[in-house]
Amino acid sequence: MTDAADAAHASGFRLTDSAPERYEQYVAPLMAPFVDALVESADLRPGDTVLDLACGTGFTARLAAARVGPTGRVHGTDVNPEMLRVAVAHRPHLYPDIEFTEAPADQLPHEDGMFDAVLCQQGAQFFPDLAAACAEAARVTRAGGRFTATTWSHLDRSPYFLAQHELVAEYAGEEAADGFVQAFSATAEVMTPALRKAGFHDVTTRVLTLDVTLPPLIDYVPGHLSALPWSTLTGTDALRTAGETFAARFAAHAAPDGSTTLPFTATLTTATR
Ligand SMILES: C[S@@+](CC[C@H](N)C(=O)[O-])C[C@H]1O[C@@H](n2cnc3c(N)ncnc32)[C@H](O)[C@@H]1O
């Protein structure tokens, strides 16, 4: 096994088989308002060279590409080649090309100081060595360049995730539930010292609570669960039950067409190199 593959197994977020396609289908709509906020905050300019760190299926990289325009360059790295396969399949046929490369966050293949901006959307909490990943991000960011990340805030600030945690604990057991909680571990208190120690300055964190409108939960929840690594729920019965449980629990938030709007809270971290 390669070093990168080792790191993939060590990471807290590993999707295989057809799960990365489902990640793109079900997770992209949930993340969309946070991706917008992240890219907005990164203040990308036409012509910028940008890294999307832990890019997954590439939706942040795609928005960054639209912002930097034909004179810019966007690179995406992720430790999981199966996520990158989907990212490549969804790569827009527009300038600039996005270059996707398999690499763990703490061993980037890029030159020192080559990026104007490094973005990391819901990835930092899964790095086995956050300090080493921040040091690599600092190495590849030019002096005066920007680092911008989103990470989920505490679980109880996002009612949908709280319900998912209860469900994972009930159906998949405590070990899976503990893995799930890792998604909420990169708080401001964790991100700030890691970035400062890596050599970033002007580190700021902001709590971002955004309403997200999801498709009718009865169908959305089974699809979303099947695109997450912690849930070992198997069989359509269990998934259907999960959809029914969520639809009932959040019925008060549903519109007449069944779409459901719920608040999600993340930490938006910015820093300057
Ligand atoms: C929740 S997904 C986020 C993906 C994408 N940035 C997004 O916004 O949806 C977490 C990603 O972090 C990646 N990851 C986990 N550990 C990693 C590591 N050590 N180095 C690079 N990527 C890693 C996973 O493969 C996965 O694609």
Side-chain angles (χ1 to χ4, degrees), residues 49-196:
T49 299
V50 179
L51 173 64
D52 180 11
L53 186 61
C55 62
T57 58
F59 38 76
T60 303
R62 297 198 291 272
L63 184 58
R67 291 294 167 88
V68 302
T71 56
R73 289 176 64 194
V74 177
H75 294 246
T77 55
D78 198 283
V79 79
N80 185 348
E82 296 177 70
M83 294 295 260
L84 293 173
R85 184 173 43 77
V86 177
V88 168
H90 285 83
R91 190 162 44 189
H93 299 289
L94 287 172
Y95 291 107
D97 277 345
I98 305 171
E99 195 174 306
F100 290 108
T101 311
E102 182 185 341
D106 54 13
Q107 289 174 47
L108 297 176
H110 308 101
E111 289 165 25
D112 293 359
M114 76 172 264
F115 294 108
D116 299 297
V118 173
L119 314 177
C120 188
Q121 215 290 121
Q122 299 297 348
Q125 61 268 54
F126 302 112
F127 299 158
D129 187 343
L130 179 63
C134 289
E136 271 297 80
R139 181 184 67 74
V140 300
T141 307
R142 69 163 169 80
R146 286 116 34 226
F147 176 88
T148 314
T150 49
T151 46
W152 294 122
S153 287
H154 195 274
L155 188 55
D156 62 15
R157 303 200 63 169
S158 300
Y160 177 92
F161 287 144
L162 197 56
Q164 254 187 354
H165 180 237
E166 288 168 14
L167 191 103
V168 171
E170 184 179 344
Y171 285 90
E174 282 308 317
E175 199 179 320
D178 288 348
F180 182 88
V181 167
Q182 193 181 345
F184 307 89
S185 61
T187 58
E189 293 71 28
V190 170
M191 294 297 289
T192 302
L195 288 165
R196 284 200 183 125

